[in-house]
Amino acid sequence: MSYHIAIVEDDPQQREHYAVALRTNGYRVSEYANREQAIHGFAQQLPDLAILDIILDSEVGGGFEVCRELKQLSPQIPVIFLTTRGDELDKIYGLQLGAWDYQTKPVSLEFLITRVDSLFKIQQSNTNHSAEVRVLGDVEINPVTMRASWKNAAVELTPTEFDILAALLASPDGASIEDLVKATRQGLVEDNTINTHILHIRKKFKKVDPEFNCIKTRYGFGYCWICQ
Amino acid sequence: MSMGTRMLLFSSLFLLALPWLGYRYIDEMKNFLLQGQEDAQILAARAVAVVLNGRAELFHSVDEPVDIAVEKSALYVYPLEEPVEVDGYSGDWGVLQQQAKIFGPESYIYDRTGGSGQAVTFSLLLGEYRQSLYALVRVRDENIVYRNPKYRRLDHSDHVRLELLTPEGESKRIIFITEGQGQVSVYEMKPDWKTPETGKPVYAISGIWQQRADGYYLELRIPRSWVGAQQYLMFSVVNVDSTAERQIDSIVATLEKENPGKLNRLITRSPQLDRILQGLGSADAGICVVDRYRRVRGVFGGENETALCSQKDTVSGELVDIALTGSQSVLRYQNMAGESVIVAAQPVYANNEVMGAVLVEKNSSHILGLQRESLQKIIIATFIVFLIAIAGLMLFAAWLAYRIRKLQKEASHAIDFDGRVISEHITTDQYAADEIGQLSRDISSLLSRLKSYTGFLESVPRTLRHEILNPVNTISMSLQKLDAQMVNKSILNSARKATQQLELIVHGLTEAAHIEDALKQDEYEKFDLASMVNEYVNNSKLKHGECRFNYLGPGSGVYVVGSDLRIAQLLDKLKDNALDFSENNSEILFDLKRLKDKVELSVVNIGPDIPEGVLGSIFAGMISNRPFKDDKPHLGIGLFVANRIAMQHGGELKMANLPANKGVRVSFILPVIH
């Protein structure tokens, strides 16, 4: 059985591109142009994943509204936002919408498909990947399931945050901003976007361990992981 | 000139007109009052005249045909307020002395020398107090010949004669003669004036003779009853010049020799007239009745020295002339004491003939006094009003100025240095109904319109981002699809590069547009700026693989409050700027200097300088002054963002060319904490 993916995007051409790309990869796709259509569609059939553009026609936060209503229908459905970054990234966190991930425009279709694939892979099998686990001091990461834990307590990271953390752990001498941007595989990302991610990663670790202080800022360069 | 001063000056002009108006009013009032007074005095004079009309007997004691010559030569008896002392001195006659009537050669009734002898003149003054008649005879005679007791006849020395008509109609001749100064001998004489009638002195009449340098004074007291109702008498001075001859040289009389056998009439104040006037008069007005020869016949009130009729026998002047011709008249004049006096004159008729005139005199200085007083009051009142008005106006002006200043302050703070609308609502005087309130509301509405406009401008980048990135996304995805099919990758790559540049432009724009909001969300904490910059420079060396970055300053210990990541972002912008403008591989210096309670972090590069004209606006955004081109878009946003970060941290950014045009120094000045 193929997964059902809902795409809410007001621009018909972009919607078309996403849909074609996903269908080519064997997914079932429902396309919605605005909030009303999406809500109407969800009422008839819930998707397994929703890809939401944030600005829908004249509704500046239309995507957020759709997400909120979808979560009310079914809290478990993962959501991928399509953003133009900056303030919107903060909003995704600030609104506590429980988004699984986001993609920045212009979207790399290849990367989008990869993310969707891995999402379903993770959902499919919650076992069997322990072999992949890498341990570095108190932190454990599983690149397959994109799960991380600190002192055996799970830290809920988005895939992008996971990628950044993985890149950080992979460079004992510290990772430059450019390295981290590359790790997010999101093309053009400003320095400040990485700063924002690091801020959120720190917060998430501190949530499970208030004493956490392993991510150090290397001014003028990037960040490094040193636990002392 | 401030608004308050101008208002003050302007209103002063009008206020200054107040005392002038007051003066005009008072002057008119004075004239009106004086006019009223004149009218009242004419009426009073007429009333008195009406009472006196047809009563000729008040002017003549006896009803008899009047001899004009006698009438003209009448002697006036002044009423005395107190008796004079009969001592031969004139002092106690006071100002009346001026009224003395002088008789000279023209009054000679006998002259033995035929004009060749020494001229003798004398003056006569008559006064009346109760039942006594006083006389002062002042004789100018260089050569006094006293009586010699050897001679029995009494006409061998200088002497004074008095001829009078008794109430019984009998003629009496009285001689005043002396052997020296002092009491004179008084005898009643026979008609030939040579020997006394009886030889017994007359004791009822007393007189004192005083010798003077140029003659002698004779002062007499005569019982009033000796002079009859017709009141006729005559004085004559007999002059004897030679002690050897002892013959009468000349006789000067009070009546000219053209009227032989006649005597002078005595004119006194009429007691009946005085009584009538007393009944009519009022205390503050002087009433004076004169006969047709202008002799004062009755006086009531106004007995002071300056009064018109006081201590005068006649009243001259145009006023009396007019009245005596039968018309009423009124005159305003100033008396010797400088007081303003109004006199009204009205003729008195008897038998269709003008008998005399009534003069009503009143001092009008009280009106002038009233005027002065009113003027004074008006001036004081004006001054007070002036002060109050000035104080009021000053308060008002200060209040206005305060409101305008407050409004101006609030209005100027409503828009920040960069022209952003901070507050779109002016609270100063927003409910006031006047022009300032209107101005305040207008500014508010102006600001809100401006705010909505700037809001629109601020939303443009966001809209632009959305509108541009969506087609870019479409292009990008289309390119991705083409990628699989196209053989010529270079065309694809250039298309991709172009989309990336578009993206960069859009990001640059949105970053600048949203930096304000983003900065507000930053969390501030205390951190060590020196160690941060030190580390930043070291890492920059590693990152850029060049040793051109240098740090000058303390390794640690300069603490500031702020967002370290933002400061790092700021350093990035300054570093990028320095890199862009520095000459090949020249040093880029990070210079951290501790000022008093601030820290100055300068990034200095060697290279082309910034034109002076651009220096002031370099942080305003969208100013790019790159003389060269590279593959990155330059919107001049880097320094704009850096400046925003500096301002958000309570600091400032300054840019200056190095001396001798060797490069540029950008300084970030930030408060430190101790």
Side-chain angles (χ1 to χ4, degrees), chain A residues 101-136:
Chain A
D101 197 11
Y102 65 89
Q103 289 291 302
T104 53
K105 286 183 180 182
V107 170
S108 161
L109 287 173
E110 188 194 349
F111 185 54
L112 180 69
I113 301 297
T114 314
R115 269 285 146 83
V116 172
D117 285 349
S118 62
L119 170 70
F120 287 121
K121 218 179 278 169
I122 292 163
Q123 282 200 330
Q124 223 170 22
S125 51
N126 282 328
T127 54
N128 262 345
H129 294 286
S130 49
E132 306 285 337
V133 171
R134 283 159 55 188
V135 182
L136 202 84

Short mmCIF file of all heavy atoms in Angstrom, two decimals, chain A residues 101-136:
data_model
loop_
_atom_site.label_atom_id
_atom_site.label_comp_id
_atom_site.label_asym_id
_atom_site.label_seq_id
_atom_site.Cartn_x
_atom_site.Cartn_y
_atom_site.Cartn_z
N ASP A 101 9.28 18.49 10.13
CA ASP A 101 10.44 19.09 9.47
C ASP A 101 9.95 20.25 8.62
O ASP A 101 8.74 20.53 8.53
CB ASP A 101 11.13 18.04 8.58
CG ASP A 101 12.53 18.48 8.20
OD1 ASP A 101 13.02 19.47 8.79
OD2 ASP A 101 13.11 17.85 7.32
N TYR A 102 10.90 20.93 8.00
CA TYR A 102 10.53 21.99 7.07
C TYR A 102 11.51 21.99 5.93
O TYR A 102 12.63 21.49 6.06
CB TYR A 102 10.54 23.36 7.78
CG TYR A 102 11.90 23.74 8.22
CD1 TYR A 102 12.74 24.45 7.37
CD2 TYR A 102 12.38 23.32 9.46
CE1 TYR A 102 14.02 24.74 7.75
CE2 TYR A 102 13.66 23.61 9.83
CZ TYR A 102 14.47 24.32 8.98
OH TYR A 102 15.76 24.60 9.35
N GLN A 103 11.11 22.53 4.84
CA GLN A 103 11.99 22.66 3.68
C GLN A 103 11.97 24.13 3.25
O GLN A 103 10.92 24.77 3.27
CB GLN A 103 11.48 21.79 2.53
CG GLN A 103 11.66 20.30 2.76
CD GLN A 103 13.12 19.89 2.73
OE1 GLN A 103 13.81 20.10 1.74
NE2 GLN A 103 13.60 19.32 3.83
N THR A 104 13.15 24.64 2.93
CA THR A 104 13.19 26.04 2.51
C THR A 104 13.08 26.14 0.99
O THR A 104 13.57 25.29 0.26
CB THR A 104 14.51 26.70 2.95
OG1 THR A 104 15.58 25.90 2.49
CG2 THR A 104 14.56 26.83 4.45
N LYS A 105 12.42 27.17 0.60
CA LYS A 105 12.29 27.41 -0.83
C LYS A 105 13.54 28.15 -1.31
O LYS A 105 14.03 29.04 -0.59
CB LYS A 105 11.06 28.29 -1.10
CG LYS A 105 9.75 27.52 -0.94
CD LYS A 105 8.59 28.43 -1.30
CE LYS A 105 7.27 27.69 -1.15
NZ LYS A 105 6.13 28.52 -1.53
N PRO A 106 14.10 27.95 -2.47
CA PRO A 106 13.63 26.92 -3.43
C PRO A 106 13.93 25.50 -2.92
O PRO A 106 15.02 25.26 -2.40
CB PRO A 106 14.47 27.20 -4.69
CG PRO A 106 15.21 28.46 -4.43
CD PRO A 106 15.24 28.69 -2.97
N VAL A 107 12.96 24.66 -3.11
CA VAL A 107 13.04 23.31 -2.56
C VAL A 107 13.85 22.41 -3.50
O VAL A 107 13.69 22.47 -4.73
CB VAL A 107 11.61 22.75 -2.38
CG1 VAL A 107 11.63 21.28 -2.04
CG2 VAL A 107 10.89 23.56 -1.30
N SER A 108 14.73 21.65 -2.89
CA SER A 108 15.41 20.63 -3.68
C SER A 108 14.51 19.41 -3.70
O SER A 108 14.25 18.79 -2.65
CB SER A 108 16.75 20.30 -3.03
OG SER A 108 17.20 19.05 -3.50
N LEU A 109 13.98 19.06 -4.86
CA LEU A 109 13.01 17.96 -4.96
C LEU A 109 13.64 16.65 -4.51
O LEU A 109 13.03 15.87 -3.81
CB LEU A 109 12.49 17.85 -6.40
CG LEU A 109 11.54 18.97 -6.82
CD1 LEU A 109 11.22 18.87 -8.29
CD2 LEU A 109 10.26 18.93 -6.00
N GLU A 110 14.86 16.52 -4.90
CA GLU A 110 15.58 15.29 -4.56
C GLU A 110 15.65 15.10 -3.06
O GLU A 110 15.34 14.07 -2.52
CB GLU A 110 17.00 15.41 -5.15
CG GLU A 110 17.82 14.14 -5.05
CD GLU A 110 19.29 14.44 -5.34
OE1 GLU A 110 19.59 15.57 -5.80
OE2 GLU A 110 20.14 13.58 -5.09
N PHE A 111 15.98 16.25 -2.38
CA PHE A 111 16.10 16.20 -0.92
C PHE A 111 14.74 16.01 -0.26
O PHE A 111 14.62 15.31 0.74
CB PHE A 111 16.77 17.48 -0.43
CG PHE A 111 17.06 17.50 1.02
CD1 PHE A 111 17.81 16.46 1.60
CD2 PHE A 111 16.59 18.51 1.84
CE1 PHE A 111 18.08 16.47 2.93
CE2 PHE A 111 16.86 18.50 3.19
CZ PHE A 111 17.61 17.47 3.73
N LEU A 112 13.75 16.60 -0.86
CA LEU A 112 12.39 16.44 -0.32
C LEU A 112 11.98 14.97 -0.36
O LEU A 112 11.45 14.44 0.63
CB LEU A 112 11.41 17.30 -1.14
CG LEU A 112 9.95 17.25 -0.71
CD1 LEU A 112 9.76 17.92 0.65
CD2 LEU A 112 9.03 17.93 -1.73
N ILE A 113 12.24 14.34 -1.49
CA ILE A 113 11.87 12.93 -1.61
C ILE A 113 12.65 12.10 -0.58
O ILE A 113 12.07 11.25 0.09
CB ILE A 113 12.21 12.42 -3.06
CG1 ILE A 113 11.46 13.24 -4.11
CG2 ILE A 113 11.86 10.93 -3.18
CD1 ILE A 113 9.95 13.17 -4.05
N THR A 114 13.92 12.44 -0.44
CA THR A 114 14.73 11.71 0.54
C THR A 114 14.13 11.81 1.92
O THR A 114 14.00 10.83 2.65
CB THR A 114 16.16 12.30 0.58
OG1 THR A 114 16.61 12.48 -0.77
CG2 THR A 114 17.10 11.39 1.33
N ARG A 115 13.75 13.05 2.27
CA ARG A 115 13.19 13.27 3.60
C ARG A 115 11.89 12.51 3.78
O ARG A 115 11.65 11.89 4.81
CB ARG A 115 12.91 14.78 3.81
CG ARG A 115 14.07 15.50 4.41
CD ARG A 115 14.18 15.17 5.89
NE ARG A 115 15.55 15.14 6.34
CZ ARG A 115 16.26 16.22 6.71
NH1 ARG A 115 15.71 17.39 6.69
NH2 ARG A 115 17.50 16.08 7.10
N VAL A 116 11.05 12.52 2.75
CA VAL A 116 9.76 11.82 2.84
C VAL A 116 10.01 10.32 2.97
O VAL A 116 9.40 9.64 3.81
CB VAL A 116 8.89 12.14 1.61
CG1 VAL A 116 7.64 11.27 1.59
CG2 VAL A 116 8.51 13.62 1.60
N ASP A 117 10.93 9.86 2.16
CA ASP A 117 11.26 8.43 2.22
C ASP A 117 11.70 8.03 3.63
O ASP A 117 11.19 7.08 4.21
CB ASP A 117 12.41 8.11 1.24
CG ASP A 117 11.91 8.09 -0.20
OD1 ASP A 117 10.66 8.10 -0.39
OD2 ASP A 117 12.75 8.09 -1.12
N SER A 118 12.67 8.82 4.16
CA SER A 118 13.20 8.44 5.47
C SER A 118 12.14 8.55 6.55
O SER A 118 12.13 7.77 7.51
CB SER A 118 14.41 9.28 5.82
OG SER A 118 14.06 10.63 5.90
N LEU A 119 11.26 9.50 6.38
CA LEU A 119 10.17 9.62 7.35
C LEU A 119 9.36 8.34 7.43
O LEU A 119 9.11 7.80 8.51
CB LEU A 119 9.25 10.80 6.96
CG LEU A 119 7.95 10.90 7.74
CD1 LEU A 119 8.22 11.31 9.18
CD2 LEU A 119 7.00 11.88 7.10
N PHE A 120 8.95 7.84 6.26
CA PHE A 120 8.11 6.64 6.26
C PHE A 120 8.91 5.42 6.71
O PHE A 120 8.37 4.54 7.37
CB PHE A 120 7.49 6.42 4.88
CG PHE A 120 6.38 7.43 4.61
CD1 PHE A 120 6.45 8.29 3.53
CD2 PHE A 120 5.28 7.49 5.46
CE1 PHE A 120 5.44 9.21 3.30
CE2 PHE A 120 4.28 8.42 5.21
CZ PHE A 120 4.35 9.28 4.13
N LYS A 121 10.22 5.52 6.37
CA LYS A 121 11.06 4.40 6.80
C LYS A 121 11.10 4.35 8.32
O LYS A 121 10.97 3.30 8.92
CB LYS A 121 12.47 4.59 6.23
CG LYS A 121 13.13 3.29 5.80
CD LYS A 121 14.51 3.58 5.23
CE LYS A 121 14.46 4.03 3.79
NZ LYS A 121 15.76 4.55 3.33
N ILE A 122 11.26 5.51 8.91
CA ILE A 122 11.34 5.58 10.38
C ILE A 122 10.03 5.10 10.99
O ILE A 122 10.00 4.34 11.96
CB ILE A 122 11.63 7.02 10.83
CG1 ILE A 122 13.04 7.43 10.41
CG2 ILE A 122 11.50 7.15 12.34
CD1 ILE A 122 13.28 8.92 10.45
N GLN A 123 8.95 5.52 10.41
CA GLN A 123 7.63 5.13 10.94
C GLN A 123 7.42 3.62 10.83
O GLN A 123 6.83 3.00 11.71
CB GLN A 123 6.54 5.86 10.16
CG GLN A 123 6.38 7.30 10.59
CD GLN A 123 5.04 7.86 10.20
OE1 GLN A 123 4.46 7.43 9.19
NE2 GLN A 123 4.53 8.77 11.00
N GLN A 124 7.89 3.09 9.67
CA GLN A 124 7.69 1.67 9.39
C GLN A 124 8.36 0.78 10.43
O GLN A 124 7.76 -0.12 10.98
CB GLN A 124 8.26 1.35 8.01
CG GLN A 124 7.36 0.47 7.21
CD GLN A 124 7.84 0.39 5.76
OE1 GLN A 124 9.02 0.65 5.47
NE2 GLN A 124 6.97 0.04 4.85
N SER A 125 9.59 1.06 10.65
CA SER A 125 10.35 0.16 11.52
C SER A 125 10.98 0.91 12.67
O SER A 125 11.86 1.73 12.48
CB SER A 125 11.46 -0.50 10.71
OG SER A 125 12.20 0.46 10.02
N ASN A 126 10.47 0.63 13.88
CA ASN A 126 11.03 1.31 15.03
C ASN A 126 12.16 0.49 15.65
O ASN A 126 12.78 0.89 16.61
CB ASN A 126 9.94 1.57 16.07
CG ASN A 126 9.10 2.77 15.65
OD1 ASN A 126 9.62 3.68 15.02
ND2 ASN A 126 7.82 2.73 15.95
N THR A 127 12.35 -0.67 15.13
CA THR A 127 13.40 -1.53 15.67
C THR A 127 14.54 -1.62 14.66
O THR A 127 14.61 -0.84 13.70
CB THR A 127 12.83 -2.96 15.92
OG1 THR A 127 12.24 -3.38 14.70
CG2 THR A 127 11.83 -2.93 17.05
N ASN A 128 15.37 -2.59 14.85
CA ASN A 128 16.31 -3.03 13.82
C ASN A 128 17.41 -2.05 13.42
O ASN A 128 18.22 -2.37 12.59
CB ASN A 128 15.54 -3.38 12.52
CG ASN A 128 15.33 -4.89 12.45
OD1 ASN A 128 16.00 -5.62 13.19
ND2 ASN A 128 14.44 -5.33 11.59
N HIS A 129 17.36 -0.88 13.99
CA HIS A 129 18.39 0.06 13.54
C HIS A 129 19.38 0.38 14.62
O HIS A 129 20.17 1.30 14.47
CB HIS A 129 17.71 1.35 13.02
CG HIS A 129 16.90 1.09 11.79
ND1 HIS A 129 17.47 0.87 10.56
CD2 HIS A 129 15.57 0.97 11.61
CE1 HIS A 129 16.52 0.65 9.67
NE2 HIS A 129 15.35 0.70 10.31
N SER A 130 19.29 -0.39 15.69
CA SER A 130 20.19 -0.09 16.80
C SER A 130 21.64 -0.27 16.41
O SER A 130 22.53 0.33 17.02
CB SER A 130 19.84 -0.96 18.02
OG SER A 130 19.73 -2.31 17.58
N ALA A 131 21.86 -1.05 15.41
CA ALA A 131 23.23 -1.28 14.98
C ALA A 131 23.89 0.00 14.49
O ALA A 131 25.09 0.20 14.61
CB ALA A 131 23.25 -2.32 13.85
N GLU A 132 23.04 0.90 14.02
CA GLU A 132 23.57 2.14 13.47
C GLU A 132 23.97 3.17 14.54
O GLU A 132 24.57 4.19 14.24
CB GLU A 132 22.51 2.80 12.55
CG GLU A 132 21.98 1.89 11.48
CD GLU A 132 22.98 1.70 10.36
OE1 GLU A 132 23.87 2.60 10.21
OE2 GLU A 132 22.91 0.68 9.67
N VAL A 133 23.55 2.91 15.78
CA VAL A 133 23.72 3.91 16.84
C VAL A 133 25.19 4.26 17.04
O VAL A 133 26.05 3.38 17.09
CB VAL A 133 23.11 3.41 18.17
CG1 VAL A 133 23.49 4.33 19.32
CG2 VAL A 133 21.62 3.29 18.03
N ARG A 134 25.43 5.60 17.09
CA ARG A 134 26.79 6.06 17.39
C ARG A 134 26.80 6.75 18.73
O ARG A 134 25.91 7.53 19.04
CB ARG A 134 27.24 7.05 16.29
CG ARG A 134 27.65 6.30 15.01
CD ARG A 134 27.58 7.21 13.83
NE ARG A 134 28.40 8.42 14.05
CZ ARG A 134 28.37 9.45 13.21
NH1 ARG A 134 27.56 9.44 12.16
NH2 ARG A 134 29.12 10.50 13.43
N VAL A 135 27.79 6.39 19.52
CA VAL A 135 27.84 6.95 20.86
C VAL A 135 29.08 7.84 20.98
O VAL A 135 30.15 7.48 20.52
CB VAL A 135 27.92 5.84 21.92
CG1 VAL A 135 27.92 6.45 23.32
CG2 VAL A 135 26.77 4.87 21.73
N LEU A 136 28.86 9.03 21.53
CA LEU A 136 29.97 9.96 21.74
C LEU A 136 29.80 10.59 23.11
O LEU A 136 29.03 11.52 23.29
CB LEU A 136 29.96 11.03 20.64
CG LEU A 136 31.31 11.72 20.42
CD1 LEU A 136 32.19 10.91 19.49
CD2 LEU A 136 31.07 13.11 19.83
#
